Amino acid sequence: MNRTDRLYAIVEELRAISPRLRSARELAERYEVSVRTIERDIGALQQAGIPIYADVGRRGGYALDKSMSLPPLNFTPAETVALAVALARHRGGPFERAGHSALRKIVAVLPERNAVAARDLAGRIRLLDSREAQHDHEIPAVIERAIEVGRVVRIGYLDRSGARTERDVEPFALVSGTNGWYLAAWCRLRGNARCFRLDRIASAAATEQPAPHRPFDGSAWDIPAAGLRDVAL
């Protein structure tokens, strides 16, 4: 795990257990680094404005300000497991990491009785992957973030023959198809709308250029409107 991923994971770990404490030693063991490294990481997060405070003493540790955590939730065990099953079936989909982070937060603030019942119920659910199942490539976090905040991404894209082109694209939708996930974007190289297969995106780098808002109805990508399903929220 690189440092950037570790810093993000530390924040999510503290958010999930807030207002309880996590010691530097516990964090060091979890992320397989030294206690000194964790202390430097916490200092860097605090300097970046993350509201982490330290409680000294033998039972001390680090905690995230309660304003950054969820209040107690009244999810039933079945509702919690339903979310876990949806996430498990969502493997390789958009914002998968964020989904697991959200689930950890929910479980962390459940009443203990419901949390125990949810874990017991989850232990009685199994998913069987068929040999023909499509294993999606992981969606790059930079693409997820670009869609979220509206930024241009520079990608290296491989065509069917393996020829590579470098292009700036304005991403604004992820579409699930027969060959896995596609990125729907405006391609500045071609001056037209394009769908890019994620397994052919060899590289992706964020830029600071804002991406203009463009409506997505599928027609520009030759996707039948009847074949598109929205994600309900």
Side-chain angles (χ1 to χ4, degrees):
M1 178 182 289
N2 61 42
R3 186 169 190 252
T4 300
D5 289 341
R6 189 175 65 250
L7 291 175
Y8 177 82
I10 289 172
V11 173
E12 292 307 309
E13 172 83 4
L14 295 179
R15 191 199 307 272
I17 66 167
S18 179
R20 289 170 289 165
L21 301 170
R22 188 72 86 212
S23 71
R25 185 172 300 279
E26 289 172 323
L27 291 170
E29 291 174 355
R30 182 176 183 86
Y31 300 111
E32 300 180 343
V33 295
S34 68
V35 170
R36 180 59 180 160
T37 295
I38 291 297
E39 291 172 346
R40 286 197 297 264
D41 288 346
I42 294 293
L45 290 168
Q46 290 171 329
Q47 290 179 11
I50 306 298
I52 297 174
Y53 64 89
D55 189 0
V56 298
R58 196 172 71 176
R59 296 181 178 274
Y62 298 105
L64 195 66
D65 187 271
K66 63 181 181 180
S67 65
M68 298 283 288
S69 63
L70 292 172
L73 298 176
N74 194 29
F75 278 55
T76 67
E79 288 171 338
T80 307
V81 173
L83 294 175
V85 170
L87 275 172
R89 295 179 65 90
H90 182 63
R91 188 172 57 189
F95 304 105
E96 179 182 10
R97 290 175 292 271
H100 287 290
S101 173
L103 183 60
R104 287 194 300 270
K105 294 176 191 177
I106 290 171
V107 173
V109 297
L110 284 178
E112 183 63 22
R113 178 180 176 182
N114 285 9
V116 170
R119 291 189 180 97
D120 178 69
L121 181 57
R124 288 178 275 136
I125 304 295
R126 294 291 187 274
L127 300 179
L128 180 64
D129 288 333
S130 67
R131 292 183 179 180
E132 296 78 20
Q134 174 72 37
H135 295 286
D136 292 320
H137 288 250
E138 183 176 323
I139 297 174
V142 64
I143 290 178
E144 293 178 340
R145 182 62 177 165
I147 293 175
E148 184 180 357
V149 301
R151 290 290 184 272
V152 172
V153 174
R154 183 164 294 123
I155 65 171
Y157 192 68
L158 307 176
D159 65 15
R160 294 179 182 177
S161 62
R164 176 168 173 153
T165 55
E166 303 289 332
R167 56 184 83 197
D168 287 355
V169 301
E170 303 169 11
F172 54 87
L174 289 163
V175 181
S176 179
T178 55
N179 291 310
W181 285 93
Y182 292 79
L183 170 66
W186 181 267
C187 177
R188 292 186 172 181
L189 178 65
R190 305 302 184 200
N192 205 343
R194 289 285 191 274
C195 260
F196 300 99
R197 276 178 52 167
L198 286 180
D199 60 346
R200 291 182 180 168
I201 296 179
S203 64
T207 75
E208 294 301 319
Q209 304 174 52
H213 173 72
R214 298 180 188 272
F216 176 64
D217 60 10
S219 59
W221 291 265
D222 296 324
I223 301 173
L228 287 175
R229 288 189 291 117
D230 293 335
V231 175
L233 188 63

